[in-house]
mmCIF file of all heavy atoms in Angstrom:
data_model
loop_
_atom_site.group_PDB
_atom_site.id
_atom_site.type_symbol
_atom_site.label_atom_id
_atom_site.label_comp_id
_atom_site.label_asym_id
_atom_site.label_seq_id
_atom_site.Cartn_x
_atom_site.Cartn_y
_atom_site.Cartn_z
ATOM 1 N N MET A 1 43.283 162.406 54.816
ATOM 2 C CA MET A 1 43.779 161.227 55.532
ATOM 3 C C MET A 1 43.693 159.922 54.704
ATOM 4 O O MET A 1 44.524 159.071 54.811
ATOM 5 C CB MET A 1 42.947 161.061 56.798
ATOM 6 C CG MET A 1 43.404 159.819 57.619
ATOM 7 S SD MET A 1 42.537 159.823 59.181
ATOM 8 C CE MET A 1 43.527 158.571 59.980
ATOM 9 N N LEU A 2 42.696 159.809 53.837
ATOM 10 C CA LEU A 2 42.490 158.621 53.049
ATOM 11 C C LEU A 2 42.998 158.781 51.632
ATOM 12 O O LEU A 2 42.585 158.095 50.747
ATOM 13 C CB LEU A 2 41.012 158.191 53.028
ATOM 14 C CG LEU A 2 40.417 157.825 54.430
ATOM 15 C CD1 LEU A 2 38.969 157.480 54.246
ATOM 16 C CD2 LEU A 2 41.169 156.635 55.014
ATOM 17 N N SER A 3 43.933 159.667 51.432
ATOM 18 C CA SER A 3 44.428 159.880 50.090
ATOM 19 C C SER A 3 45.682 158.943 49.836
ATOM 20 O O SER A 3 46.783 159.425 49.926
ATOM 21 C CB SER A 3 44.800 161.359 49.883
ATOM 22 O OG SER A 3 45.798 161.701 50.882
ATOM 23 N N SER A 4 45.404 157.748 49.528
ATOM 24 C CA SER A 4 46.509 156.764 49.316
ATOM 25 C C SER A 4 46.956 156.745 47.889
ATOM 26 O O SER A 4 47.842 155.985 47.527
ATOM 27 C CB SER A 4 46.022 155.366 49.727
ATOM 28 O OG SER A 4 44.941 154.955 48.918
ATOM 29 N N GLY A 5 46.357 157.517 47.014
ATOM 30 C CA GLY A 5 46.699 157.531 45.650
ATOM 31 C C GLY A 5 45.885 156.554 44.834
ATOM 32 O O GLY A 5 45.951 156.563 43.601
ATOM 33 N N ARG A 6 45.229 155.650 45.439
ATOM 34 C CA ARG A 6 44.379 154.654 44.781
ATOM 35 C C ARG A 6 42.935 155.137 44.779
ATOM 36 O O ARG A 6 42.537 156.013 45.588
ATOM 37 C CB ARG A 6 44.417 153.315 45.533
ATOM 38 C CG ARG A 6 45.721 152.613 45.257
ATOM 39 C CD ARG A 6 45.915 151.502 46.180
ATOM 40 N NE ARG A 6 45.907 152.083 47.506
ATOM 41 C CZ ARG A 6 46.027 151.424 48.639
ATOM 42 N NH1 ARG A 6 46.040 150.126 48.616
ATOM 43 N NH2 ARG A 6 46.062 152.043 49.789
ATOM 44 N N PRO A 7 42.122 154.587 43.850
ATOM 45 C CA PRO A 7 40.702 154.970 43.902
ATOM 46 C C PRO A 7 40.069 154.583 45.237
ATOM 47 O O PRO A 7 40.508 153.612 45.852
ATOM 48 C CB PRO A 7 40.119 154.199 42.754
ATOM 49 C CG PRO A 7 41.110 153.217 42.320
ATOM 50 C CD PRO A 7 42.405 153.612 42.835
ATOM 51 N N ARG A 56 38.695 147.502 51.164
ATOM 52 C CA ARG A 56 40.036 147.803 51.678
ATOM 53 C C ARG A 56 40.000 147.416 53.168
ATOM 54 O O ARG A 56 39.250 147.935 53.972
ATOM 55 C CB ARG A 56 40.396 149.270 51.533
ATOM 56 C CG ARG A 56 41.796 149.575 51.949
ATOM 57 C CD ARG A 56 42.267 150.924 51.454
ATOM 58 N NE ARG A 56 42.296 150.979 50.024
ATOM 59 C CZ ARG A 56 42.005 152.058 49.266
ATOM 60 N NH1 ARG A 56 41.772 153.183 49.829
ATOM 61 N NH2 ARG A 56 42.045 151.966 47.975
ATOM 62 N N GLU A 85 46.062 146.118 54.650
ATOM 63 C CA GLU A 85 46.961 147.228 54.873
ATOM 64 C C GLU A 85 47.160 147.368 56.336
ATOM 65 O O GLU A 85 46.300 146.960 57.161
ATOM 66 C CB GLU A 85 46.374 148.495 54.277
ATOM 67 C CG GLU A 85 46.197 148.395 52.747
ATOM 68 C CD GLU A 85 45.623 149.655 52.163
ATOM 69 O OE1 GLU A 85 45.994 150.772 52.581
ATOM 70 O OE2 GLU A 85 44.736 149.530 51.275
ATOM 71 N N ARG A 113 34.519 159.730 52.388
ATOM 72 C CA ARG A 113 34.025 158.625 51.532
ATOM 73 C C ARG A 113 32.578 158.449 51.687
ATOM 74 O O ARG A 113 32.087 157.463 52.266
ATOM 75 C CB ARG A 113 34.780 157.301 51.848
ATOM 76 C CG ARG A 113 36.273 157.363 51.694
ATOM 77 C CD ARG A 113 36.648 157.569 50.232
ATOM 78 N NE ARG A 113 38.124 157.469 50.021
ATOM 79 C CZ ARG A 113 38.860 158.523 49.687
ATOM 80 N NH1 ARG A 113 38.341 159.725 49.575
ATOM 81 N NH2 ARG A 113 40.150 158.368 49.487
#
Side-chain angles (χ1 to χ4, degrees):
M1 179 173 193
L2 295 178
S3 58
S4 61
R6 286 168 296 177
R56 186 165 297 148
E85 296 178 42
R113 299 294 186 250

